[in-house]
Amino acid sequence: MALAPNVYDAEPIPDAARAEIDRMLGNGDLFRYTAPQDAPVTLLERDFADFIGARYALAVSSCSAALFLSLKALDLPRDARVLIPAFTFAAVPSSVVHADCVPVLCEVGENYRIDMDDFEPRIDTGIDAVIVSHMRGHTSDMDRIMAACDARNIPVIEDAAHSLGTTWGGRNIGTIGRIGCFSFQSYKLVNGGEGGIMISNDPDLIARAVIMSGAYEHNWAKHLTDPDLEAAFARCQNQLPLYNMRMNNLSAAIIRPQIAEIPRRVRQGRANHDHVAARLNASPWLEVPQKLEREERAPDSIQFNLVGMDEDDTRAFARAAAARGVNVQVFGQSTDNARAFWNWQFLPGGTPELPRTRAMLMRACDTRLPARLGREELDFIAGTLVDAAAEVMGEARVYGT
Ligand SMILES: *Cc1c(COP(=O)(O)O)cnc(C)c1O
């Protein structure tokens, strides 16, 4: 029997990183503000801003740090209400709590996207800011979200941690809201071990975030600036607390040469996803929801819903797939899953009930599908999932009805 593919290992880091890392090992130049200019972190910010099409970028220690600094940069009052989708990673409500704001959850539909029929009325409940989390790269209806928020002058932060390379109506995800945040943690499209970056066209927001990220004294002058940004730095000099969430040069040296790899990874990831999705959709028990029309995806995993399975069937399906070597996580059924909102017990006022999101999480499955996998490995995964469903449900049909 063929061996199940390893879906956890990352791709090798491009060779171009080695010379730069060697140079740093030789001279110990690891701190972004030691060199007077053009530190690796600064060059990463320049290259990423150019790649994504944003005026400014700030590299930090994680996407969680970028989300936190985004909220702080918006200068929201204490206890400001921040609307977030109920299907996201625990880092998102955590960043809101950390910024002394209150997370307000909205429903997410069976297609893993924000349920606009719930979002639109909720936005009128005294919401001060919105974080749209493009969870696993699934893009919500950005046209309707931006129209609703712009009409009320509510700032939108895009959590594009796991959406790098996705586009909406031809625009890069992360460039549509006031601020976009991305992750370089190892399970994301670009692997820096840890790391994050925030982008914006607004000089005041970026100046505030740069200083709070730890640009003490006049270290902001070592960022790539322009007259607008310099004026903004002058306005916030000595006015803001420092949280020290800087990126170090080693991380930047590992991340920077991967920017050129993004288009290939996106192409391969999308082809892999669509190949597996077509096979899963041929099973009566598995369903991969359609993307929205204006979205072009950049997936490195696949999510699908179980059709007609009760909770026992669902558990039996996950066991049958695991026995064949393919790990399927049902978001709502694995213990302490950080993407199940009822496990965010740190939320002020307790966890709310969101029945539609809960129902989705109880039958939504998650399987990693890294861009580097080949056809045979993809067929192994797809075949295993289809067979596991047939094993559980096929017999139930013969004997159970
Ligand atoms: C990974 C992830 C984060 C957190 O990113 P870190 O860099 O690990 O802090 C936030 N939101 C989503 C949707 C993610 O997938």
Side-chain angles (χ1 to χ4, degrees):
M1 198 176 92
L3 279 182
N6 175 336
V7 295
Y8 293 99
D9 287 358
E11 283 186 23
I13 305 301
D15 267 340
R18 286 178 203 276
E20 186 67 355
I21 291 169
D22 256 354
R23 186 188 67 78
M24 284 188 245
L25 295 182
N27 66 5
D29 177 18
L30 302 178
F31 180 49
R32 72 165 296 171
Y33 294 134
T34 301
Q37 61 187 37
D38 293 342
V41 180
T42 310
L43 297 180
L44 167 65
E45 290 167 345
R46 180 198 64 191
D47 291 357
F48 192 84
D50 287 349
F51 173 82
I52 205 83
R55 199 167 163 197
Y56 308 111
L58 167 64
V60 289
S61 51
S62 68
C63 182
S64 300
L67 290 167
F68 165 77
L69 289 170
S70 301
L71 292 165
K72 290 307 244 181
L74 287 169
D75 201 16
L76 300 171
R78 182 172 283 272
D79 294 331
R81 288 162 61 79
V82 180
L83 190 60
I84 65 170
F87 176 44
T88 183
F89 186 55
V92 175
S94 301
S95 71
V96 177
V97 170
H98 199 27
D100 294 320
C101 298
V102 178
V104 179
L105 276 50
C106 75
E107 292 269 25
V108 171
E110 299 197 320
N111 64 354
Y112 320 129
R113 285 146 178 101
I114 289 174
D115 180 341
M116 293 308 297
D117 292 339
D118 189 63
F119 180 92
E120 281 167 344
R122 251 184 237 267
I123 194 111
D124 284 321
T125 60
I127 296 300
D128 298 289
V130 169
I131 300 181
V132 178
S133 201
H134 305 296
M135 189 58 177
R136 291 286 192 274
H138 301 292
T139 307
S140 299
D141 189 333
M142 289 308 290
D143 295 340
R144 278 176 74 179
I145 290 172
M146 293 311 297
C149 292
D150 286 348
R152 293 160 180 83
N153 208 15
I154 295 174
V156 174
I157 299 169
E158 285 183 83
D159 167 21
H162 211 156
S163 281
L164 181 54
T166 306
T167 61
W168 174 265
R171 291 173 70 184
N172 279 320
I173 280 301
T175 64
I176 299 171
R178 289 270 295 280
I179 305 174
C181 301
F182 299 85
S183 174
F184 301 127
Q185 183 265 346
S186 288
Y187 288 165
K188 315 298 161 105
L189 196 77
V190 167
N191 168 21
E194 298 278 6
I197 200 161
M198 63 180 274
I199 56 164
S200 181
N201 293 331
D202 183 323
D204 277 297
L205 289 179
I206 287 292
R208 291 171 55 79
V210 164
I211 289 181
M212 288 188 280
S213 77
Y216 58 93
E217 296 165 352
H218 297 145
N219 278 315
W220 51 260
K222 294 174 182 171
H223 287 250
L224 292 173
T225 58
D226 61 25
D228 291 343
L229 195 52
E230 272 170 35
F233 281 127
R235 283 191 288 278
C236 46
Q237 181 78 52
N238 301 342
Q239 302 299 310
L240 297 167
L242 308 173
Y243 297 100
N244 285 13
M245 296 172 151
R246 295 174 297 251
M247 179 180 279
N248 75 66
N249 283 340
L250 264 183
S251 302
I254 288 170
I255 293 164
R256 225 177 122 216
Q258 294 182 56
I259 292 177
E261 305 289 316
I262 294 171
R264 174 190 57 79
R265 289 181 188 173
V266 168
R267 227 176 16 252
Q268 285 179 348
R270 193 181 296 158
N272 289 357
H273 174 277
D274 292 352
H275 178 73
V276 173
R279 291 202 51 186
L280 300 193
N281 278 330
S283 160
W285 317 112
L286 309 176
E287 185 197 24
V288 182
Q290 289 286 314
K291 69 177 184 69
L292 301 186
E293 204 189 311
R294 305 226 326 135
E295 174 187 358
E296 286 302 329
R297 304 202 54 222
D300 60 5
S301 61
I302 190 163
Q303 288 71 46
F304 54 97
N305 293 329
L306 302 176
V307 180
M309 293 196 197
D310 63 21
E311 284 196 22
D312 288 341
D313 299 332
T314 301
R315 270 190 285 273
F317 164 73
R319 268 198 311 273
R324 293 166 157 87
V326 174
N327 188 20
V328 178
Q329 194 182 46
V330 184
F331 289 106
Q333 299 215 2
S334 69
T335 312
D336 298 330
N337 193 304
R339 299 149 204 90
F341 63 86
W342 53 88
N343 290 326
W344 306 338
Q345 288 170 19
F346 53 84
L347 292 182
T351 52
E353 198 36 78
L354 294 119
R356 270 171 275 174
T357 309
R358 180 183 283 269
M360 177 275 284
L361 290 167
M362 294 312 282
R363 59 192 204 113
C365 300
D366 190 26
T367 298
R368 286 174 55 78
L369 219 53
R372 63 175 167 72
L373 295 189
R375 237 343 113 85
E376 273 179 32
E377 294 169 303
L378 298 170
D379 283 334
F380 183 96
I381 292 172
T384 298
L385 296 173
V386 169
D387 289 351
E391 181 184 305
V392 172
M393 299 306 284
E395 288 181 27
R397 260 217 305 208
V398 172
Y399 300 112
T401 54

